[in-house]
């Protein structure tokens, strides 16, 4: 069976996460709580089995903080729908926050 | 060939649109420009062939405006990747902003 | 001396917080991490001395989660600029997420 | 009379605008509709008399589009509350999207 529906759902979750949180003020002190919140926000949604989120390269402007950009995000998410599990991820590739399907399997 | 990759991209676009624009202040006067901007923002992204966006049920609070909510959005998007075209859409279904795949075909 | 500059900064922080996080998927399980992340995001910004954030009335749609709306937010923030401290807050008032200045004093 | 309340409202509008629209996909073709939509979204809110928005430095990644960043925004807004008008603006200053009060006057 095709995993089209499950891949669609995985895409929704990554697109949603990205555009919800990009622009959030973040510092070295607050990055941990932001990672946890993003992870749990993704996991609260339907079809999501598991999510892990890390944020790297937090720098700071002259006022002591940074803003979350797409290339700072490292995300892995597993969604299941209609008996198909999809693993998908996002991370920086040549300066672009690339989203990709890493695996599709029956469950 | 499976449309998994194209369905993944369609999901990304709908999830992104949703979480980028939800919360935008909107009135009966500004709804037209918001529809156009959302449509063109979606169409600027890769793999997107066409998008159409309408926003309904704009009401106003006692200060004369409303905020964009998911159930106000009616979106149709066509994406193409690797020789497969996917039509996907979002609209209200029983009070929930439902996203769905409407068709997958080789092109 | 007038607190205009400090009040301007307090307004920026509340407007920013609101439109950054509205729409975030949230459940009873994830609400704690979201509160912490919003609080620390506000505190990472310049001029902010202290912020406290609580989110109430998290319900769930038929898929088990909710989305953050303005009326669910209870926020208190203290900012200081040019020797003036401003306390400002946001919470629901007659169904509207009202933002207000609670106090301005020299420090 | 002090313009603290009006300055607070001006700050809310700039902070809101920033965190609502940052991250929006934008290209040379779509920048005009995004400018109009941001402008009208700001003007739909209470206390706002006038807003003007321009977006510059739209470039494109290897997929043909860009994302709205704070430093690309040039915004002027006039708000009035309790007989005081405030002019405020945002634009790039040394790589930072600086928001400032440009004038406060009785009306």
């Amino acid at each position: 069976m095709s995993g089209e529906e499950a891949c669609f759902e995985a895409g929704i979750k990554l697109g949603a996460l990205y555009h919800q949180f990009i622009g959030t003020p973040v510092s070295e002190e607050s990055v941990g709580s932001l990672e946890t919140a993003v992870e749990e926000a993704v996991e609260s949604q339907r079809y999501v089995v598991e999510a892990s989120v890390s944020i790297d390269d937090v720098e700071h402007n002259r006022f002591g903080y940074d803003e979350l950009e797409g290339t700072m995000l490292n995300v892995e998410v597993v969604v299941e729908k209609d008996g198909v599990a999809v693993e998908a991820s996002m991370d920086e590739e040549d300066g672009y926050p690339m989203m990709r399907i890493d695996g599709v399997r029956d469950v």
Side-chain angles (χ1 to χ4, degrees), chain A:
Chain A
M1 180 189 169
S2 158
E4 289 172 353
E5 289 281 346
C7 288
F8 181 66
E9 293 296 331
I12 291 171
K13 271 60 183 179
L14 289 179
L17 172 166
Y18 190 97
H19 288 271
Q20 182 63 57
F21 292 104
I22 295 306
T24 302
V26 61
S27 67
E28 287 166 20
E29 287 71 37
S30 69
V31 65
S33 67
L34 184 57
E35 288 171 332
T36 304
V38 175
E39 208 166 88
E40 295 194 6
V42 176
E43 289 183 336
S44 74
Q45 294 173 274
R46 67 180 181 144
Y47 304 126
V48 178
V49 176
E50 195 181 345
S52 71
V53 173
S54 72
I55 297 169
D56 54 26
D57 295 324
V58 176
E59 300 186 350
H60 54 84
N61 57 34
R62 65 185 187 275
F63 306 113
Y65 69 101
D66 199 348
E67 279 189 7
L68 184 64
E69 295 179 30
T71 52
M72 296 159 67
L73 280 165
N74 304 278
V75 180
E76 294 180 5
V77 64
V78 181
V79 308
E80 277 187 28
K81 185 174 181 187
D82 299 338
V84 182
V86 171
E87 293 180 36
S89 61
M90 167 170 43
D91 54 33
E92 181 180 349
E93 187 182 289
D94 299 332
Y96 182 83
M98 189 66 74
M99 300 180 188
R100 68 178 72 75
I101 301 171
D102 296 314
V104 181
R105 65 177 199 281
D106 293 337
V107 285

